[in-house]
Amino acid sequence: MTLEAIKRSIMDEAEDKASDLEKEASMESERIVSEAEERAKRIMKDAERDAEREAQRLHMESKASAEVEANALLLEARGEAVERSLGGVMSQLAKEVQKASIRKLLEQGIKDFAEASGGREIVVRTGRRNAEAVKGLDARVEYADIDGFILSTSDSKIELDATLGSILESQKDTARRLVYEELFHGAGAAEPAGRAPKRKAAHAKRERGKK
């Protein structure tokens, strides 16, 4: 084989190898690009799915928040309506209480109080307008600027508050509940928000001075 033929053979073999390498490189490049495209598609699908889930979550949160706000506004409006009506109801209740016989109330109160106080001396504090009603009672009478009366032991350790204000306060929660039911026929179940329950003060026997 001549030198020229040898050179040609070497060149042909080199070209074949180069062509094979180029084909392999091209196939590898296509494979890499294809895999990258597949990964990109999966990433996009995951991103779209996550975005859809997040959008649904935000929608539900927004809806729930709107419902809570709407319910709060409704309860507030109902509460205001109840409070506006409550004043008239309490005024009427005060008139009814003032019509009651102070003498009968006192006699019954003293009877109940005597049992609770263990037979100790009873003091009746009331306004001078009730001077006629307290005559002849089996109790010591003291006059004060009181609309109604207060019974107590002589040492003031046990006391029964039956003043008009105390009686009305003790009935205020009940009156509020009745007004609410009358206005809204029990709709919404619970009473208006923001109305903290109050302690009942009237007709309560309490021991004072003890810890």
Side-chain angles (χ1 to χ4, degrees):
M1 183 180 291
T2 63
L3 180 60
E4 188 63 30
I6 293 171
K7 290 171 64 178
R8 172 55 58 187
S9 177
I10 292 172
M11 288 297 295
D12 289 343
E13 187 177 351
E15 287 176 359
D16 289 341
K17 287 183 178 180
S19 179
D20 290 341
L21 290 172
E22 185 178 350
K23 288 179 181 179
E24 289 178 3
S26 178
M27 291 175 62
E28 179 67 13
S29 177
E30 289 177 0
R31 184 184 66 78
I32 292 172
V33 170
S34 178
E35 289 181 354
E37 288 177 347
E38 287 299 320
R39 285 199 301 272
K41 287 179 182 178
R42 288 197 298 270
I43 290 171
M44 285 298 295
K45 285 182 180 180
D46 290 343
E48 289 174 359
R49 186 167 56 250
D50 291 344
E52 185 177 350
R53 287 175 179 171
E54 181 65 11
Q56 290 177 349
R57 184 185 68 80
L58 291 174
H59 174 71
M60 293 302 293
E61 286 184 355
S62 177
K63 183 179 179 181
S65 177
E67 289 177 351
V68 169
E69 184 175 357
N71 287 335
L73 290 173
L74 176 61
L75 289 175
E76 182 178 355
R78 286 180 175 177
E80 290 176 356
V82 168
E83 292 305 308
R84 284 197 298 270
S85 300
L86 185 62
V89 172
M90 297 307 293
S91 295
Q92 186 61 36
L93 179 60
K95 291 178 182 178
E96 294 301 318
V97 172
Q98 288 171 331
K99 288 179 184 178
S101 169
I102 187 73
R103 179 71 184 196
K104 288 182 179 179
L105 289 174
L106 276 169
E107 288 176 347
Q108 185 61 48
I110 289 172
K111 180 180 178 181
D112 294 341
F113 193 75
E115 295 176 2
S117 63
R120 282 182 275 184
E121 182 186 23
I122 297 173
V123 178
V124 177
R125 291 201 298 279
T126 189
R128 289 196 175 275
R129 72 172 73 179
N130 298 319
E132 192 65 29
V134 297
K135 283 183 178 180
L137 287 177
D138 186 19
R140 191 175 83 218
V141 177
E142 295 179 356
Y143 293 107
D145 186 14
I146 295 174
D147 191 357
F149 59 89
I150 296 175
L151 300 180
S152 70
T153 54
S154 57
D155 56 10
S156 297
K157 288 185 176 181
I158 304 175
E159 184 178 278
L160 172 64
D161 188 341
T163 58
L164 178 62
S166 179
I167 293 172
L168 294 180
E169 186 63 29
S170 73
Q171 297 302 313
K172 199 168 188 178
D173 285 342
T174 300
R176 181 181 287 114
R177 185 163 52 252
L178 293 174
V179 169
Y180 184 86
E181 291 173 357
E182 179 67 23
L183 290 176
F184 305 109
H185 307 289
E191 289 187 20
R195 305 295 173 195
K198 297 180 180 179
R199 291 184 306 163
K200 293 184 178 180
H203 302 290
K205 299 182 181 71
R206 60 185 181 272
E207 195 76 19
R208 300 201 302 185
K210 293 185 179 182
K211 295 184 180 179

